[in-house]
Amino acid sequence: MKPSTPSTVCVLFHVFFGSLSAVTICGNLLVIISIIYFKQLHTPTNSLILSLAVADLLVGVVVFPFSMELSLSSCLFSENVFCKVRNNLDIPLCTASILNLCCISIDRYYAVCHPLTYRTKINVHVVMIMIVVSWSVSLLLTIGLVMAGFQQDKCKEECSIDLQFAVILGLLCIFYLPVIIMLCIYLKIFLVAQRQVRSIQGTKSGATASKMERKATKTLATVMGVFLMCWTPFFFYFSFQLLNPVSFAVIESLNWLALLNSMLNPFIYAFFYSWFRSAFRLIISGKIFQGDFSNSKLH
């Protein structure tokens, strides 16, 4: 029988997941407001970060609540409509987030490895194309997977091979291919940064050069480490699911770990920079409502 009141464990899980959603929304809202309001942050690179923040904000607003209801369906006796709605929203938004991360890595590659031609290679028009392509690919992949699912519902066993092929192709485009691209790009950036540090050791003290090298290593390790930590377990386990049935509890736990990347992205891509921290302080303190600070010099 359905209980008249939810269990204590269920309530605690709702509070926990609701808190994660709130942090995700607030963190990405700070990034969005900062980039839109402060003119100093109107750069091509920050346009990519803005697109990433929009995708992650929508994950926090839309995907988190449906994922929470689906994960706790044993407590609330939810219908599987949550599963269908969550998947149809989860796939395009998380794919857009991953592809935006990939675009940011391309931007950083030209900034570090080709600084002299960076402004000509990565301009406003190129960035807009990157953003449009990221969101378009996300929507097209979602439409393809949804259509494959509808076809599976109609012809049952006869379409299982086609559906599996569609899922494998989707996994390659959504995760494995972007990961390979990002790993290659960040490895190249790391090697170039190390070479640049060694080249200036003759003009700067060894301690300063060593500090710069450690900072570059830490930054790149954080970027890729957090992304891989959040997404790799889910996609590996999901790929294994194509061959063998897996536990619902395990796949949902790994899905939440992957969704946490949307919460952590603002800290990695925005909080790391001092000018974003200055912007956040002005917003949180309410100073931007007391006057025009859009032309403020952020340090």
Side-chain angles (χ1 to χ4, degrees):
M1 295 178 58
K2 183 176 179 179
S4 57
T5 57
S7 67
T8 303
V9 174
C10 190
V11 172
L12 291 176
F13 270 116
H14 269 84
V15 172
F16 175 69
F17 290 139
S19 300
L20 295 181
S21 178
V23 173
T24 302
I25 293 170
C26 292
N28 286 288
L29 266 180
L30 281 174
V31 176
I32 294 170
I33 295 172
S34 298
I35 295 174
I36 293 176
Y37 182 80
F38 295 101
K39 294 181 179 179
Q40 182 182 337
L41 301 180
H42 292 179
T43 65
T45 301
N46 288 336
S47 296
L48 291 172
I49 295 178
L50 175 63
S51 177
L52 173 67
V54 171
D56 290 335
L57 174 68
L58 292 175
V59 170
V61 172
V62 180
V63 178
F64 268 63
F66 280 102
S67 293
M68 178 173 64
E69 295 304 319
L70 177 61
S71 299
L72 301 177
S73 58
S74 59
C75 297
L76 301 180
F77 296 87
S78 302
E79 302 296 334
N80 83 351
V81 66
F82 287 110
C83 182
K84 294 180 179 179
V85 174
R86 193 276 298 270
N87 288 341
N88 290 336
L89 295 172
D90 190 0
I91 295 172
L93 293 177
C94 291
T95 302
S97 180
I98 293 173
L99 293 181
N100 276 295
L101 290 173
C102 194
C103 290
I104 291 173
S105 68
I106 295 173
D107 172 83
R108 292 297 85 205
Y109 168 77
Y110 279 99
V112 175
C113 301
H114 303 282
L116 298 179
T117 59
Y118 170 68
R119 294 188 180 276
T120 57
K121 295 285 186 181
I122 308 295
N123 51 45
V124 176
H125 298 294
V126 172
V127 167
M128 290 305 299
I129 292 174
M130 285 183 176
I131 294 172
V132 171
V133 169
S134 297
W135 286 93
S136 299
V137 170
S138 303
L139 292 175
L140 289 174
L141 284 172
T142 303
I143 293 172
L145 290 173
V146 171
M147 294 301 294
F150 285 149
Q151 191 70 15
Q152 169 72 6
D153 291 338
K154 290 180 180 179
C155 59
K156 302 299 179 183
E157 292 82 3
E158 291 82 355
C159 294
S160 59
I161 296 177
D162 294 336
L163 181 61
Q164 269 198 333
F165 177 76
V167 172
I168 292 172
L169 185 62
L171 288 173
L172 288 173
C173 296
I174 291 173
F175 179 71
Y176 292 108
L177 185 58
V179 163
I180 292 172
I181 292 174
M182 282 191 283
L183 282 174
C184 293
I185 288 175
Y186 280 122
L187 177 61
K188 177 67 174 177
I189 292 174
F190 175 70
L191 295 175
V192 170
Q194 279 193 322
R195 189 163 61 245
Q196 290 175 348
V197 169
R198 286 194 294 267
S199 68
I200 63 174
Q201 281 183 340
T203 59
K204 292 191 175 184
S205 66
T208 303
S210 178
K211 183 179 179 181
M212 292 176 63
E213 187 171 348
R214 286 197 305 271
K215 184 177 180 180
T217 304
K218 183 179 179 180
T219 304
L220 296 179
T222 302
V223 168
M224 282 308 300
V226 172
F227 173 78
L228 293 175
M229 178 190 70
C230 292
W231 282 104
T232 302
F234 172 77
F235 278 105
F236 273 12
Y237 201 69
F238 188 78
S239 301
F240 180 75
Q241 183 185 20
L242 298 176
L243 302 175
N244 298 282
V246 295
S247 166
F248 174 81
V250 174
I251 199 69
E252 279 303 298
S253 299
L254 295 178
N255 181 69
W256 274 104
L257 178 62
L259 291 178
L260 286 181
N261 191 233
S262 293
M263 182 185 74
L264 297 174
N265 279 337
F267 296 92
I268 300 171
Y269 289 94
F271 285 40
F272 179 82
Y273 300 103
S274 59
W275 50 86
F276 272 106
R277 291 196 295 270
S278 299
F280 295 158
R281 282 194 292 267
L282 289 173
I283 295 171
I284 295 173
S285 64
K287 288 185 178 180
I288 63 171
F289 303 107
Q290 302 171 8
D292 185 9
F293 287 86
S294 58
N295 292 310
S296 300
K297 183 68 176 177
L298 302 173
H299 302 285

